[in-house]
């Protein structure tokens, strides 16, 4: 049976994790996107109820969670972000473990766990190797504004509650800077993936 290599991918918002994950996927890795798992977790009635208790019942309209309103409140301070994580993390970890097991059983050569809170959430314990995706703050701000169609101030608020590049680079096995062009970033990612897969 093939031994599955589990790669943790992390970094601050706007650093370009999805581009790197995309390259790894093209090269055969199975991707588990923790942001998507979080979206799924926040759809459960128990989670919605806890989020309303923490961030106000008006974050739900006609039974549907207003994610923008939740984000504005949850990312207002490190304390409110921590509260959000406290509510959503247990459900996210359960789904993460289920997916890892499924991919391992299917014989996947590699699984990439794309997790902004890889270390804060204790997700690194599932990983054989970790990769920090980093970029200059100005580059990240522009990407966030374009991606989410938000103002510079909103982007800065989101960035302000996250750790800096040095935090991620210092904890991970590898760091990849995505400050270059997209083709350059993809080439870097492909080289790194080959290196990781060739390690013992």
């Amino acid at each position: 049976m093939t031994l599955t290599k589990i790669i943790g991918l992390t970094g601050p918002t706007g650093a370009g994790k999805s581009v790197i994950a995309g390259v790894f996927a093209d090269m055969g890795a199975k991707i588990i996107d923790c942001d998507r798992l979080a979206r799924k977790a926040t759809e459960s009635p128990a989670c919605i109820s806890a989020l309303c208790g923490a961030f106000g019942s008006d974050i739900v309209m006609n039974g549907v969670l207003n994610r923008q309103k939740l984000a504005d409140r949850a990312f207002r301070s490190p304390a409110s972000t921590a509260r959000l994580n406290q509510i959503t993390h247990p459900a996210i970890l359960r789904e993460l473990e289920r997916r890892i097991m499924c991919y391992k059983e299917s014989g996947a050569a590699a699984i990439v766990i794309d997790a902004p809170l890889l270390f804060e959430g204790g997700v690194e314990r599932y990983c054989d190797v970790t990769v920090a995706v980093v970029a200059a703050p100005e580059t990240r701000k522009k990407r966030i504004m374009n991606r989410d169609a938000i103002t510079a101030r909103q982007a800065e608020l989101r960035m302000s509650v996250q750790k800096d590049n040095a935090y991620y680079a210092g904890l991970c096995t590898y760091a990849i800077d995505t400050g270059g062009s997209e083709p350059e970033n993809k080439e870097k990612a492909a080289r790194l993936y080959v290196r990781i897969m060739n390690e013992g």
Side-chain angles (χ1 to χ4, degrees):
M1 191 177 130
T2 317
L3 275 180
T4 305
K5 188 157 281 192
I6 302 182
I7 304 165
L9 196 65
T10 193
T13 184
K17 288 185 297 298
S18 56
V19 171
I20 306 304
V23 172
F24 287 5
D26 289 343
M27 296 179 79
K30 300 295 183 186
I31 310 294
I32 301 174
D33 183 336
C34 285
D35 278 345
R36 285 193 185 163
L37 295 193
R39 286 181 80 88
K40 196 165 186 282
T42 54
E43 285 165 7
S44 77
C47 197
I48 286 176
S49 171
L51 290 169
C52 285
F55 299 104
S57 56
D58 62 330
I59 61 168
V60 174
M61 290 288 287
N62 303 321
V64 178
L65 183 65
N66 182 327
R67 293 180 185 279
Q68 186 60 57
K69 197 172 271 190
L70 172 62
D72 288 343
R73 291 177 190 176
F75 300 128
R76 197 172 282 165
S77 71
S80 55
T81 305
R83 184 80 190 102
L84 173 70
N85 296 333
Q86 202 177 11
I87 292 167
T88 57
H89 268 184
I92 294 168
L93 290 179
R94 280 194 299 276
E95 181 62 16
L96 175 65
E97 287 171 0
R98 190 190 70 77
R99 292 197 187 193
I100 288 172
M101 193 55 65
C102 287
Y103 285 140
K104 278 187 168 182
E105 285 171 359
S106 72
I111 299 168
V112 172
I113 303 174
D114 180 349
L117 299 170
L118 190 77
F119 296 99
E120 297 90 330
V123 178
E124 85 282 359
R125 69 178 182 268
Y126 301 104
C127 305
D128 300 307
V129 61
T130 52
V131 177
V133 183
V134 297
E138 267 313 304
T139 303
R140 289 171 46 219
K141 185 165 83 173
K142 283 178 193 158
R143 286 176 183 165
I144 297 163
M145 288 166 67
N146 290 336
R147 181 190 70 199
D148 299 339
I150 58 175
T151 65
R153 180 76 192 119
Q154 284 173 309
E156 284 161 7
L157 264 176
R158 288 190 189 182
M159 290 168 67
S160 72
V161 298
Q162 291 195 318
K163 308 283 198 302
D164 60 12
N165 288 334
Y167 167 82
Y168 297 99
L171 285 173
C172 287
T173 323
Y174 298 103
I176 184 166
D177 190 308
T178 63
S181 67
E182 193 163 313
E184 285 169 344
N185 294 337
K186 286 183 172 180
E187 191 185 320
K188 264 190 207 175
R191 283 202 306 267
L192 179 58
Y193 184 78
V194 170
R195 185 175 171 184
I196 290 169
M197 295 308 288
N198 285 337
E199 284 176 347

